[in-house]
Amino acid sequence: VTMGLDCTLWQITMPQLAELLDSDEAVEALICGEDGALEAKSLYLGSAWHVLHFCITGEAEGNVFPLSYALMAGIPIADDYLDGAAYLLPHVVRDVVEALGTLSETIIVERFKEEACGNREIYASQWPEDRSDEIVKYFDRLKRFFEEAALKRNAMLRHIV
């Protein structure tokens, strides 16, 4: 049995970010959903995150600003303590929103079909081509989540594990 790599995002206020930057334990509590953890709205993307990253950026990896910051890039937090956690400051969240707004559903579907037909190094890429409607739903959820965070001038925390 292999462990899956799942992705969750949280909208966090600047005071919450300050608290998280001050305490690796606070980061772990939020990510693990422990009692007493900071309250923050989350979006769980499961293992769809890497296929979604490809559909957004057209690349399996890459650190191209701002699109790759939606799911893969960011500033590491609790780096030695908690692998795979990173955050985005509010101005970066706004930049991601603007960039996501330039992508049409057609582009997402075309890239999804390209990925489904290609032999790429995409985690959980065994998605059949007929699931393009599902990846569009994930894209829409991600876009709305970032838009809401930008409206509230929130930062974002991401964890992939």
Side-chain angles (χ1 to χ4, degrees):
V1 178
T2 58
M3 295 278 296
L5 286 176
D6 290 346
C7 177
T8 305
L9 301 168
W10 290 267
Q11 296 178 21
I12 53 175
T13 64
M14 288 306 290
Q16 287 174 323
L17 178 59
E19 189 174 329
L20 293 172
L21 289 170
D22 195 45
S23 168
D24 290 352
E25 291 80 8
V27 177
E28 183 182 33
L30 175 63
I31 287 171
C32 296
E34 295 174 7
D35 287 341
L38 296 174
E39 294 285 325
K41 185 172 183 178
S42 65
L43 174 65
Y44 177 73
L45 296 172
S47 62
W49 68 271
H50 202 191
V51 174
L52 186 56
H53 171 79
F54 178 82
C55 292
I56 290 169
T57 64
E59 299 178 16
E61 300 295 328
N63 197 13
V64 179
F65 185 81
L67 285 175
S68 63
Y69 281 67
L71 290 167
M72 288 189 86
I75 303 167
I77 190 169
D79 204 22
D80 297 332
Y81 186 74
L82 197 62
D83 217 20
Y87 68 94
L88 305 177
L89 293 170
H91 70 278
V92 176
V93 171
R94 284 192 309 275
D95 291 341
V96 170
V97 168
E98 287 178 23
L100 291 176
T102 68
L103 297 176
S104 67
E105 190 174 301
T106 305
I107 290 170
I108 298 299
V109 170
E110 284 173 5
R111 287 181 178 162
F112 179 78
K113 289 180 178 177
E114 176 188 334
E115 192 284 317
C117 296
N119 185 13
R120 304 199 182 276
E121 297 291 318
I122 305 288
Y123 175 74
S125 65
Q126 63 275 13
W127 287 45
E129 198 173 328
D130 63 356
R131 287 179 66 188
S132 61
D133 59 332
E134 196 172 334
I135 206 70
V136 168
K137 286 179 186 169
Y138 275 110
F139 174 71
D140 288 340
R141 281 186 216 130
L142 179 73
K143 196 170 158 184
R144 283 196 311 271
F145 196 71
F146 266 88
E147 287 168 352
E148 182 181 309
L151 280 173
K152 295 177 179 179
R153 294 184 172 88
N154 281 341
M156 192 80 73
L157 179 72
R158 181 208 67 240
H159 188 239
I160 298 172
V161 67

